[in-house]
Each structure stands twice: as C-alpha cells, then as structure tokens.
Amino acid sequence: MSNKVTQLARAELIDMVPYQSARRLQAGEGVFNEKIWLNANESPGDGHYQLNSQCVNRYPDFQPKNLISAYSDYAAISEQNILATRGADEGIELLIRTFCESYKDNILICPPTYGMYAISAENHGAGVIEVPLANWQLNVPDIIEKLPLCKLLFLCSPGNPTGNLLAQQDLIAVLEASEGKAIVVVDEAYIEFAPEHTMAKFIEQYPHLVVLRTLSKAFALAGLRCGFTLANTPVIELLSKVIAPYPIAAPVAEIASHALDAQGIMEMEYRVNDSNQLRKSLATWLNQQTWCTGVFPSDANFVLFRTSKKNKVFDLLLKHNILIRDQSKQQQLADCLRISIGSEQELDALKAILEKEL
Ligand SMILES: *Cc1c(COP(=O)(O)O)cnc(C)c1O
C-alpha cells in the first residue's frame, strides 16, 4: 500500500534523505536543560525571551512533541499520521511540491473553491484541471474521467466560499476510484463547525487520503500560522522531506498546545456554538430582505448569498467601515457576497445599516 502512494511522488524525492538538522538527529522535546547542547551553533544565553517550557535560544524540534501529541488527542489520529505546518496553506503547497513535477503534472480542483490551490499550483508550474461543482456537490463521473491526468485532487468540505459539506458517499466514490492513481486531499479548514462529518476517520482505510486542518478558523488563531496535514505515514514521510527543517516556531508550538488542551477545546466549542447560532439568524434575516435573492446553506463560519444589489450592499457597508467579501468574480457566483460570522454586535451593526439605508 505504501509503495503505490510513494510512486506518485516526484521521482527525486523517493530516495532523498531530508536535511539532517541537529534537532532532527537529537530532539530536545522542549527540555534543554538536562544535557549540554553544543551541536547546533546556538547561543547558550537566554536572551530576553523565555517561554514556559523552554528558551528561544534553542532551535525548536522539527515537530514539537507537545503539539503533535495534543493534536493527536484532539483529532483521534496517531501521532505518526500528523505533520504540523505553517497553516493549512503550507500543507497545500507542500503537497503540490511533493507530488507534482513542474510543467508536467496537474492538480484537480472543483470551482467555485478556495483560491490557494490554483495559486500554489501556478507558483510551482503545475497545471490546474477544473471540474466545476454541480449544485455545490462533486461531479463524480467527470472527476473520475479526469483522474489519469491528475496527481492531486483538492476537495474542500465544508467548502469555501460555498459553505456546504460535500456528500460523504461522493468523497468515498472518488477515493475508491483514485487509489494508486492520485492523492485525494480533503480540506477541512472549517470542520469544527460540523465535526461529525470529518473524513479523518477514513485515513486508515485509504492510503491516498490526506486531510488538511487549521487553527486559523474555529480555534481563533489565524495570526499564529499553525495547521496540520493528516495522512498515512508514507505521505507524511514524503512531505517531511520537502518542508523546512524547523517549520514550527517555539512560541507557536507553545500557544497552539495550550489552545488544544481540555480548556482550549472547550472554549473553541463554545465559540463554534455561538457562531453557528449567529449564522442561522443571519441567514434567516438575509432571506427576509427583498434585495437578497438566495442564501446558500452553510456549515462554516460564513454565509454566501446572492443579491440584486451587490455593489450597493458592498459599498454601503464599506462606507461604514464594514468589510465583507465580494465573490462575484468566481464562476457560478455572479452577484454573490460572503459575510464572515463576527460577533453579535458586529452583525447587528451590519443589519442596522442595511435596514436603514438600502
Ligand atoms: C482559511 C483556509 C485555509 C488556510 O488556512 P491557514 O491555516 O490559515 O493557512 C485553507 N483552506 C481553506 C478552505 C480555508 O478557508
């Protein structure tokens, strides 16, 4: 099983030995005071900055143990099936750099979808094959037909900017058809808003399934730049050859581990609960407005809607310093705007302005 997946990677990576940093050879595991560390040209001094667990004069571990162990507990995934990255965006980029040969291989995306898949592919010189969503769901027969042309499939569930979940039976049908042919990446940046729909539970079953996660959305840590790639060990080992030797800064690991402890997860669940309530009431309100011609179902922390007064709604809010996202340039999204679920006060301010001035 590992071989089939490994053979999909860029040929030069298969026998490549990753950079053997001092920390990869001898992990500090967050504790640097028990030994004399003279192997990495670090400064022995503490400088001005001291974290709870360690000093920042030392290089961090390649994959900080506390962080991986905390995410493993949270996601119910073994530690060896997790790679921590600088946001899910870095996971996207690493997958493309690992599996696509420039000017030869392609990724497959299902627009309207998250913009970074195509951007990362273009940066790397990989081609982008589009199989548009049909009624916001996968067009499974067309995807299967395109499989021989693709190394990686990027499927987003819940989708951004569409907001809805992809049907599990479709994801399974694509996984069944693509084994040995392509890697199937399910981007779950918003899965905390509908956690029972995660595909992570299928990783053991499908060697070519990769799930992307992030602390940027439900965990309220976008500024931290911390995400996770979940996959079987052959995929994790390949990605580990391509990622930087110290991708996770020590302060990032410390804050992220804290966010993933029992208290942090409870707070995240409260936030998600609030956000889901506010999203439902915003959708109800939007549906009652004459200028709103459709609200799309969402399982994430935003609402996408269509309006006969797209520019007017956008500009009016902008004039009052309220920023929303114009999605109308994407295919199938003419006249569509996206509102992120902010605080209750922020959404009340938005409603008040539109009720008064539109
Ligand atoms: C926000 C987002 C990401 C990127 O998350 P980071 O962890 O902040 O890089 C990835 N995919 C989707 C669908 C997103 O909406």
Side-chain angles (χ1 to χ4, degrees):
M1 104 171 192
S2 66
N3 263 355
K4 271 199 202 157
V5 167
T6 307
Q7 279 160 16
L8 293 171
R10 273 168 49 215
E12 57 270 38
L13 289 178
I14 293 171
D15 295 322
M16 184 195 137
V17 179
Y19 172 62
Q20 299 294 298
S21 71
R23 204 59 73 237
R24 234 169 188 163
L25 292 167
Q26 283 153 315
E29 302 196 343
V31 184
F32 286 98
N33 48 10
E34 287 167 356
K35 296 184 180 119
I36 295 174
W37 296 88
L38 303 177
N39 62 345
N41 299 348
E42 298 149 338
S43 166
D46 289 348
H48 290 295
Y49 307 102
Q50 183 114 27
L51 307 176
N52 289 334
S53 57
Q54 67 181 90
C55 307
V56 276
N57 63 312
R58 301 292 174 197
Y59 282 106
D61 282 340
F62 167 59
Q63 291 284 289
K65 181 136 191 14
N66 290 347
L67 176 61
I68 299 299
S69 146
Y71 203 78
S72 165
D73 289 345
Y74 162 67
I77 288 273
S78 323
E79 294 186 13
Q80 68 265 26
N81 297 143
I82 302 173
L83 185 73
T85 59
R86 288 162 287 197
D89 279 349
E90 186 180 39
I92 295 167
E93 190 202 315
L94 288 174
L95 284 158
I96 293 173
R97 286 167 58 203
T98 301
F99 289 99
C100 292
E101 210 175 296
S102 300
Y103 311 113
K104 178 168 168 256
D105 292 327
N106 303 304
I107 68 160
L108 182 147
I109 62 171
C110 300
T113 193
Y114 184 54
M116 282 306 291
Y117 314 134
I119 301 274
S120 286
E122 281 159 25
N123 269 333
H124 181 68
V128 178
I129 290 176
E130 297 188 349
V131 177
L133 292 174
N135 296 319
W136 282 192
Q137 290 296 328
L138 298 177
N139 182 338
V140 177
D142 279 12
I143 291 174
I144 292 177
E145 193 194 305
K146 296 283 182 349
L147 278 177
L149 302 173
C150 306
K151 277 291 183 73
L152 284 166
L153 281 56
F154 285 97
L155 312 176
C156 194
S157 181
N160 177 9
T162 42
N164 65 297
L165 288 153
L166 297 173
Q168 183 177 299
Q169 80 236 31
D170 290 349
L171 289 166
I172 297 287
V174 169
L175 279 164
E176 289 287 338
S178 54
E179 188 156 350
K181 296 180 184 155
I183 303 288
V184 177
V185 185
V186 181
D187 185 338
E188 294 191 343
Y190 300 95
I191 201 64
E192 282 80 10
F193 298 93
E196 63 280 16
H197 295 276
T198 180
M199 292 296 285
K201 52 183 175 274
F202 293 107
I203 284 176
E204 270 182 45
Q205 208 171 322
Y206 294 105
H208 57 308
L209 170 60
V210 175
V211 172
L212 294 175
R213 297 283 189 83
T214 180
L215 299 186
S216 296
K217 308 287 162 57
F219 282 93
L221 288 172
L224 198 61
R225 308 312 301 132
C226 186
F228 300 89
T229 300
L230 314 180
N232 284 284
T233 41
V235 173
I236 297 293
E237 277 167 17
L238 286 162
L239 298 175
S240 300
K241 296 182 181 189
V242 177
I243 198 171
Y246 317 104
I248 307 296
V252 170
E254 185 164 319
I255 295 168
S257 305
H258 198 55
L260 289 162
D261 68 17
Q263 171 80 18
I265 287 170
M266 206 173 70
E267 286 170 16
M268 178 276 286
E269 286 168 348
Y270 276 126
R271 269 193 307 274
V272 163
N273 206 24
D274 276 352
S275 173
N276 286 348
Q277 300 293 332
L278 290 169
R279 182 189 70 228
K280 281 172 201 156
S281 66
L282 179 65
T284 305
W285 179 84
L286 281 167
N287 265 318
Q288 292 160 350
Q289 309 308 307
T290 50
W291 43 265
C292 177
T293 54
V295 182
F296 297 101
S298 171
D299 276 294
N301 63 342
F302 55 83
V303 173
L304 181 74
F305 65 100
R306 187 163 269 142
T307 166
S308 51
K309 298 188 177 168
K310 187 207 60 148
N311 290 332
K312 211 151 173 216
V313 170
F314 188 91
D315 293 339
L316 201 53
L317 291 172
L318 185 61
K319 202 180 86 191
H320 289 86
N321 293 321
I322 297 179
L323 311 177
I324 64 170
R325 190 83 179 251
D326 186 341
Q327 294 287 351
S328 62
K329 299 250 161 18
Q330 284 218 58
Q331 51 181 281
Q332 306 186 59
L333 295 187
D335 298 325
C336 286
L337 297 171
R338 190 191 69 188
I339 301 175
S340 301
I341 304 304
S343 67
E344 188 166 14
Q345 294 88 316
E346 288 168 341
L347 295 174
D348 283 347
L350 174 146
K351 291 182 207 169
I353 288 161
L354 295 178
E355 277 173 358
K356 181 153 162 264
E357 302 196 28
L358 204 62

